Amino acid sequence: MATKKKLQAPETALVLRTCFADLTSYGGFQWPDEVSSVVEFADWNPEAVCGGGGHGWLFGQGDAGASSSIGIADAKWLVVEVPLPSVVALGGKVKFPSCIIRHIGDKTSATQYLLEHEVRAASVAVIGITLTGGDRSTLTGGDDSTLTGGNRSTLTGGYGSTITGGYGSTITGGVDSTLTGGDKSELRIRKWCSKSERYRTHQAYVGENGIQAGLAYRLDEGNKFVEA
């Protein structure tokens, strides 16, 4: 007599995304305001093109520029659970045909929830993450992250990050980041150069050329470090 095999549920993963304060997203889609709600997208299109499904950052990693609401102070941050085999990568974001809402909150609560419930988030640069480390810590965040390390730390954040390190730290941020270092720290900002069609890293050293310890700096349009 044949033995029936038990079907296994597909592997799932957590995806981070943002919405406007009223829980609408680009195009006017209305998200439910209740955790555990099942959301299905009637316009689902499995092709690797933007549109046709829900969108977000798999494990919290991706390009913050893919969201039209991320820079809004009262934006809602969601963590949703999706069937991993159905996820379609789009470059800087993913899309999916359905999901279950697992968390609704702000940037801090959503990224913390993601770290606590998605083991793969610990090995990627999570967008919007807030991390604090002690001396000689190594911290990496995605776009819009907030990183704080002690002396001789190595801190790396993406676009629009706020990064602070102690004595002798190496601090790297993307465009529109704000960097603060202690004595003997090195400040680096990566910026796209359209002329050479590549990223270039602009550097400054605390204690040289007027760069002071404990002050926040950003890169101006002329690629000079100026006080933020």
Side-chain angles (χ1 to χ4, degrees), residues 130-182:
T130 297
L131 297 175
T132 301
D135 293 346
R136 299 183 184 277
S137 56
T138 299
L139 304 177
T140 301
D143 296 340
D144 199 36
S145 57
T146 301
L147 310 178
T148 305
N151 296 333
R152 301 190 185 282
S153 294
T154 300
L155 311 173
T156 305
Y159 172 94
S161 295
T162 300
I163 312 173
T164 304
Y167 175 92
S169 296
T170 300
I171 305 168
T172 305
V175 177
D176 290 340
S177 292
T178 300
L179 312 184
T180 305

Side-chain angles (χ1 to χ4, degrees), residues 199-223:
Y199 280 99
R200 294 191 178 277
T201 301
H202 304 272
Q203 297 172 293
Y205 301 89
V206 175
E208 299 181 12
N209 299 318
I211 303 296
Q212 301 181 49
L215 294 182
Y217 291 90
R218 61 176 177 82
L219 203 64
D220 68 9
E221 294 182 357
N223 298 327

Side-chain angles (χ1 to χ4, degrees), residues 57-144:
W57 303 297
L58 184 64
F59 314 141
Q61 178 178 242
D63 177 10
S67 169
S68 56
S69 55
I70 190 171
I72 299 174
D74 59 355
K76 293 290 182 67
W77 288 64
L78 279 62
V79 180
V80 300
E81 183 179 0
V82 304
L84 191 55
S86 69
V87 169
V88 176
L90 298 176
K93 62 181 177 181
V94 298
K95 69 176 184 178
F96 40 88
S98 64
C99 66
I100 301 174
I101 297 177
R102 295 303 185 192
H103 180 86
I104 302 173
D106 59 14
K107 178 170 63 175
T108 301
S109 69
T111 52
Q112 187 60 42
Y113 180 94
L114 185 74
L115 281 183
E116 292 175 357
H117 295 86
E118 174 54 78
V119 64
R120 289 160 291 196
S123 60
V124 301
V126 174
I127 291 173
I129 195 70
T130 297
L131 297 175
T132 301
D135 293 346
R136 299 183 184 277
S137 56
T138 299
L139 304 177
T140 301
D143 296 340
D144 199 36

